[in-house]
Amino acid sequence: MKIPTTLTKIMALAKKEARDILQNRIYLLVVLVQVFIIIGAVGLVMVASVASDPTLLDQIGISSALNIGLPQDLEGSSLSQYLEQQKITLNYYPSTEEAKAQLGKKLVAIVDLSSSGEVVAQVDTSNVFYPVVSTKISDAVTKFNTEKTLKSAGLNQTQVNTIQNPVNFQEVKVNQDKQVPLALDSPYFVEMIYGFIVPFILLLPFFLASNIVTDSVVGEKERKTFEVLLMTPLSSYMVIIGKIIPILLFSLIQSVAWIILLDLLRVPIFNPVLMVIVLFFMGLAFIGVGILISMLVDSTKEANSAITLVLVFATFILFIPLFVKSDIFQGIFNFIPTVLMVKLAVSPKIQPEIMIYLLPTLILSFLIFVGTVRSFRHERAIRL
């Protein structure tokens, strides 16, 4: 079967662009850097989740490494028992003053009783586990104060224990065969990973794509080869398509690879096919903006400055809604692509309204791309 001449010309230009991209060591280095960004981001969120969650610390066994200082006269007291229940290590000192010398070194906190019987806690706020330690001490102190109050009312220890533990909670897990193999069972981990890291990682290749487009066009201007390209028997559409095919393809391949990598890191992405479709149209928009900028500037330095400003603005528009909770603007936020990406990624079920919210993004992205193609054709007419 004979391949149409038009398609042959487009593929020839696309192969040339693909070869230039793959020969660019900086581009390959940036791709490798993205892998480290993904692994590092997931790792950092996991560490932050564990460090801020007392339950996770207890499950992993890190709590026992948290050292709390107490004066020796509190050894065996009900306060020390409640602190031990928090699965932290207690260290006893002859006096509080001697314990202070170890605060910020061996000890994360010091707990003592004042002359009036009130609990006094000194916590090293520079320690990464400061929030967890504060929570554990607070829980222990609450039980201690409750016990004091109940005993002063004439209740014995058995009655105190009954009041402090009125219900034995037992969690029964169902549908475990359908359980998602998430890296960490933590609300904070889920919120940070899906609420920011996932959309950011999947859009990274397209941020890079817009930069490559400007370099492709402006670079040819600087090398004085752009005019030669315009003189070839290629229409404006053929030139644009030939240039963007490898850029868009490489970006999509990277995003798919990042989805697979996230799944290997036990951060599953639901609805990957629809996610790739959304990324495809957003890629057209980013590439379209890159082409538009490349037509307005005459040097790579100007192009890099302009695309940086555009990407900063795009980052603000795309990611600020992920951190803002507002009933007033929620109707607008529902149409933001990153918000829709989060909704697609976190649930296997696609809500019908999501498809409606997606339409403006797909249409606007396509219009941006078509508009830049028409502008490019006008730019070609001027140059010729």
Side-chain angles (χ1 to χ4, degrees):
M1 182 177 178
K2 187 177 179 181
I3 301 175
T5 305
T6 299
L7 183 59
T8 303
K9 293 177 180 178
I10 292 175
M11 294 309 298
L13 179 57
K15 288 179 181 179
K16 178 258 182 189
E17 293 293 328
R19 189 164 50 249
D20 290 343
I21 293 173
L22 293 176
Q23 290 176 350
N24 188 333
R25 295 180 181 179
I26 299 298
Y27 177 78
L28 299 178
L29 179 61
V30 171
V31 172
L32 183 62
V33 168
Q34 290 180 65
V35 176
F36 288 103
I37 290 175
I38 296 171
I39 297 175
V42 174
L44 285 174
V45 175
M46 289 183 67
V47 171
S49 301
V50 172
S52 60
D53 192 329
T55 303
L56 286 175
L57 281 176
D58 293 343
Q59 291 176 357
I60 298 174
I62 298 179
S63 295
S64 59
L66 302 178
N67 291 279
I68 306 297
L70 288 88
Q72 288 180 344
D73 56 4
L74 288 180
E75 187 172 2
S77 65
S78 58
L79 177 59
S80 65
Q81 292 174 6
Y82 287 128
L83 287 170
E84 286 176 352
Q85 290 176 8
Q86 298 296 324
K87 299 181 180 179
I88 51 183
T89 301
L90 304 183
N91 299 264
Y92 296 97
Y93 294 86
S95 67
T96 304
E97 294 302 321
E98 292 187 31
K100 285 183 180 180
Q102 297 299 319
L103 186 62
K105 300 176 183 177
K106 179 182 179 180
L107 302 179
V108 183
I110 299 173
V111 178
D112 194 7
L113 288 177
S114 66
S115 57
S116 60
E118 294 182 351
V119 179
V120 179
Q122 302 177 57
V123 185
D124 175 23
T125 56
S126 65
N127 191 291
V128 67
F129 296 111
Y130 152 67
V132 173
V133 172
S134 296
T135 300
K136 288 180 173 291
I137 292 176
S138 178
D139 291 343
V141 171
T142 298
K143 289 185 176 182
F144 173 72
N145 289 332
T146 302
E147 178 182 317
K148 283 177 55 180
T149 302
L150 294 174
K151 283 186 175 181
S152 64
L155 278 68
N156 58 40
Q157 188 63 50
T158 302
Q159 293 171 318
V160 170
N161 293 338
T162 301
I163 293 174
Q164 288 193 332
N165 303 281
V167 178
N168 290 323
F169 175 75
Q170 184 178 3
E171 181 180 350
V172 179
K173 295 184 178 181
V174 297
N175 294 328
Q176 287 186 306
D177 57 321
K178 299 179 181 180
Q179 184 177 355
V180 178
L182 196 63
L184 203 61
D185 185 14
S186 164
Y188 178 81
F189 178 79
V190 173
E191 183 178 2
M192 285 301 300
I193 283 291
Y194 289 101
F196 173 68
I197 301 298
V198 166
F200 176 73
I201 288 172
L202 297 185
L203 285 176
L204 265 180
F206 297 96
F207 279 40
L208 179 61
S210 58
N211 213 336
I212 296 174
V213 169
T214 56
D215 181 69
S216 175
V217 177
V218 179
E220 293 207 40
K221 287 182 181 180
E222 291 184 332
R223 293 189 296 269
K224 306 301 182 182
T225 57
F226 189 63
E227 286 76 7
V228 176
L229 178 62
L230 294 177
M231 292 295 181
T232 59
L234 294 172
S235 68
S236 301
Y237 295 102
M238 293 166 64
V239 171
I240 289 293
I241 293 173
K243 279 187 169 294
I244 73 163
I245 282 177
I247 298 173
L248 187 57
L249 182 61
F250 290 161
S251 299
L252 286 173
I253 290 174
Q254 286 178 63
S255 290
V256 171
W258 302 160
I259 290 175
I260 296 172
L261 178 57
L262 286 169
D263 188 69
L264 293 175
L265 295 173
R266 298 178 65 185
V267 180
I269 306 297
F270 293 103
N271 306 303
V273 175
L274 187 55
M275 187 76 75
V276 169
I277 293 175
V278 174
L279 290 171
F280 171 80
F281 278 91
M282 291 188 69
L284 288 179
F286 277 111
I287 289 173
V289 172
I291 294 172
L292 182 62
I293 289 175
S294 66
M295 291 187 298
L296 300 176
V297 300
D298 295 312
S299 68
T300 53
K301 184 177 180 180
E302 292 179 351
N304 290 334
S305 299
I307 200 65
T308 299
L309 291 175
V310 170
L311 291 180
V312 168
F313 179 74
T315 301
F316 178 83
I317 295 296
L318 292 173
F319 291 100
I320 289 299
L322 297 177
F323 299 95
V324 177
K325 306 296 182 183
S326 173
D327 294 333
I328 299 176
F329 297 104
Q330 192 57 49
I332 299 175
F333 290 166
N334 287 332
F335 292 94
I336 301 297
T338 47
V339 175
L340 296 171
M341 289 173 64
V342 171
K343 292 180 179 180
L344 289 174
V346 299
S347 175
K349 295 182 180 180
I350 302 176
Q351 300 298 328
E353 59 267 20
I354 293 181
M355 302 305 297
I356 298 175
Y357 293 143
L358 272 176
L359 284 177
T361 293
L362 306 184
I363 294 173
L364 180 61
S365 298
F366 183 74
L367 290 177
I368 290 174
F369 176 72
V370 171
T372 55
V373 171
R374 293 178 64 86
S375 298
F376 184 83
R377 184 170 58 184
H378 179 67
E379 174 80 359
R380 172 175 177 159
I382 294 174
R383 289 178 177 272
L384 290 178

